[in-house]
Amino acid sequence: MKKHTKIYLKHFDYGIEDFIPCTTCGGKAVDIHHISSRGMGGSKFKDVIENLAALCRACHEKAESSKEFNEIVKQKHLKLL
């Protein structure tokens, strides 16, 4: 598990054993997706909860390759906040 994933889990009082649903399909989320990409070199300004969605691997891959699906992720994520 990546170090930053552990930080997010701890921040929201989740443990690795907890079930976190995918924002879009409800399956088990295993990735944290930057809705607005950090780009090359990254940006700490993109690491805010409004820009981070929990996704399963399939939805994460789809969000990374489809602007339309990424917009769906964004809208669903913002409704959950």
Side-chain angles (χ1 to χ4, degrees):
M1 177 181 300
K2 295 178 181 178
K3 182 179 176 182
H4 64 273
T5 302
K6 290 180 183 179
I7 293 168
Y8 294 133
L9 288 172
K10 184 177 177 184
H11 176 79
F12 293 104
D13 200 27
Y14 284 111
I16 191 67
E17 70 282 350
D18 290 318
F19 178 84
I20 301 168
C22 175
T23 299
T24 56
C25 75
K28 185 175 182 178
V30 295
D31 292 335
I32 301 295
H33 171 62
H34 286 84
I35 297 166
S36 175
S37 177
R38 288 176 60 179
M40 297 300 286
S43 168
K44 291 183 181 180
F45 299 110
K46 302 286 184 171
D47 290 341
V48 294
I49 192 60
E50 293 83 5
N51 192 46
L52 301 171
L55 297 177
C56 69
R57 170 53 50 187
C59 288
H60 193 193
E61 289 176 0
K62 193 172 178 181
E64 292 290 331
S65 63
S66 167
K67 289 181 182 180
E68 293 82 13
F69 189 75
N70 193 52
E71 184 61 29
I72 292 169
V73 171
K74 179 180 177 181
Q75 295 307 315
K76 288 186 174 192
H77 176 67
L78 292 177
K79 284 182 182 180
L80 293 172
L81 295 181

